[in-house]
Amino acid sequence: MGSVTRAVFGELPSGGGTVEKFRLQSDLLRVDIISWGCTITAIEVKDRQGRASDVVLGFADLEGYLQKQPYFGAVVGRVANRIAKGTFKVDGKEYHLALNKEPNSLHGGVRGFDKVLWTPRVLSNGVQFSRVSPDGEEGYPGELKVWVTYTLDGGELMVNYRAQASQATPVNLTNHSYFNLAGQGSPNIYDHEVTMEADTYLPVDETLIPTGEVAPVQGTAFDLRKPVELGKHLQDFHLNGFDHNFCLKGSKEKHFCARVRHAASGRVLEVYTTQPGVQFYTGNFLDGTLKGKSGAVYPKHSGFCLETQNWPDAVNQPHFPPVLLRPGEEYDHTTWFKFSVA
């Protein structure tokens, strides 16, 4: 049986409140999550020798998370990923968001769900965070009540996202953890073997907005249906890295999404989700300037993200899966991160 413990992680400046850390522990995993941004700060996983390493990038203290940093471990919203030119229409009315990643809006805006204090509630095998996003927050319409629940069962971390809206609004929630199965602080992820359960992907323009085409992966660098070793694959196809949405099965049921294996340690991460897409991102914008846990630095390609999500810019692309949540409906999606040793 697992355990959940809570402790103070730090104080927000100018009386902004206390950030707490929740430790979820099972016989196979140890997961630390803080109430600032519902952020996963550590995941300790044993290798095949039984040696535990922390496999997510992040910081030892609250100051690290409060600085400008690329969403390490955080829940992002109200709308994850990019919205073209920061504008969209709902029922004929136009809304304008901050262009925090010129010329687009990214991950909910200047102060998204990753940069707020959530209210925690301890569960027997996890922790639930909640908050109310007020009408007009970051330019989005309507009040949104949100619940994010982390539960640990053996080697599986489950993340459930629920939301209810007072008026129609786009909603797309994900977790932005950066993984390195060799252990955080390892210089790159080139020796990771990746499999992605996707027959199609979304090509993007130079600002990383989907062009609207849903392209087959067959015969392209995006065909990851059979395992590829990441470093060699990037080299073979002359790729700077991945930062693309892979299109998954359209069902609302739990489906297999991706598998990443690190041969040297034996660690395997499998991701399952109810979402229609996943952003596979290989840390292309990391540049070694941030100082992480245990003195680690995080250069380009030193971590990967599997951000389960609706497709980027869906609010502006009618043939993408629907992204609007209306009053009386409930947004309810779950993603499972399953760790094992092979």
Side-chain angles (χ1 to χ4, degrees):
M1 195 49 205
S3 66
V4 183
T5 51
R6 70 194 292 177
V8 170
F9 188 68
E11 297 291 336
L12 291 170
S14 47
T18 302
V19 176
E20 289 185 282
K21 178 175 87 174
F22 299 83
R23 175 162 290 178
L24 283 44
Q25 188 130 19
S26 72
D27 46 350
L28 298 175
L29 282 190
R30 198 183 88 195
V31 182
D32 289 347
I33 307 158
I34 59 172
S35 52
W36 179 256
C38 305
T39 300
I40 296 173
T41 61
I43 299 181
E44 287 215 340
V45 190
K46 293 189 175 95
D47 66 7
R48 70 164 72 84
Q49 261 75 52
R51 290 180 303 235
S53 288
D54 182 359
V55 298
V56 290
L57 280 56
F59 305 102
D61 54 33
L62 181 58
E63 287 63 46
Y65 289 99
L66 297 179
Q67 69 185 323
K68 185 170 163 48
Q69 50 94 5
Y71 307 95
F72 282 155
V75 164
V76 290
R78 183 176 299 196
V79 175
N81 218 298
R82 289 168 175 79
I83 292 178
K85 301 184 176 60
T87 65
F88 61 90
K89 273 190 179 144
V90 176
D91 301 334
K93 186 176 177 198
E94 190 158 271
Y95 294 90
H96 295 270
L97 312 171
L99 305 182
N100 61 317
K101 190 85 172 175
E102 289 281 355
N104 305 311
S105 181
L106 175 68
H107 291 330
V110 177
R111 187 166 180 261
F113 289 5
D114 61 300
K115 295 180 184 68
V116 291
L117 190 58
W118 292 65
T119 303
R121 186 165 75 87
V122 171
L123 310 172
S124 63
N125 60 340
V127 58
Q128 180 177 77
F129 298 99
S130 61
R131 79 175 293 254
V132 176
S133 169
D135 179 18
E137 183 173 58
E138 285 298 319
Y140 287 96
E143 180 184 274
L144 189 73
K145 293 187 173 129
V146 192
W147 298 265
V148 177
T149 309
Y150 292 94
T151 47
L152 185 57
D153 179 14
E156 192 167 63
L157 176 65
M158 182 171 94
V159 192
N160 172 257
Y161 307 88
R162 284 173 47 230
Q164 295 165 356
S166 69
Q167 65 185 92
T169 177
V171 180
N172 187 20
L173 304 173
T174 192
N175 179 282
H176 210 300
S177 287
Y178 290 70
F179 299 96
N180 187 320
L181 298 182
Q184 68 87 27
S186 302
N188 61 60
I189 48 172
Y190 299 145
D191 59 353
H192 287 48
E193 182 190 276
V194 179
T195 315
M196 201 75 63
E197 187 78 353
D199 297 327
T200 53
Y201 79 103
L202 300 181
V204 292
D205 67 17
E206 63 286 348
T207 75
L208 298 178
I209 292 286
T211 60
E213 183 193 358
V214 181
V217 299
Q218 184 74 41
T220 73
F222 299 89
D223 192 347
L224 307 177
R225 292 172 297 185
K226 292 199 170 70
V228 304
E229 192 175 292
L230 199 53
K232 183 179 182 305
H233 188 80
L234 293 179
Q235 227 171 356
D236 289 352
F237 285 95
H238 308 293
L239 284 182
N240 175 49
F242 288 99
D243 195 357
H244 295 77
N245 180 84
F246 287 77
C247 308
L248 307 172
K249 290 190 180 61
S251 95
K252 285 275 178 1
E253 303 303 304
K254 176 179 183 178
H255 45 260
F256 175 61
C257 165
R259 181 174 191 266
V260 184
R261 174 174 160 261
H262 182 249
S265 68
R267 289 189 190 96
V268 175
L269 167 60
E270 289 175 313
V271 179
Y272 297 80
T273 188
T274 59
Q275 289 276 23
V278 61
Q279 189 84 1
F280 178 41
Y281 173 52
T282 50
N284 314 329
F285 292 110
L286 297 175
D287 60 7
T289 54
L290 291 168
K291 297 280 177 287
K293 295 174 277 195
S294 317
V297 290
Y298 299 133
K300 181 177 177 176
H301 298 158
S302 60
F304 67 90
C305 304
L306 289 165
E307 304 158 59
T308 52
Q309 60 179 12
N310 198 336
W311 301 0
D313 199 36
V315 71
N316 290 313
Q317 311 228 20
H319 60 295
F320 284 9
V323 70
L324 289 185
L325 179 69
R326 295 189 179 273
E329 300 174 344
E330 183 166 74
Y331 177 95
D332 187 352
H333 277 289
T334 306
T335 294
W336 294 261
F337 297 97
K338 186 180 179 188
F339 293 92
S340 58
V341 171

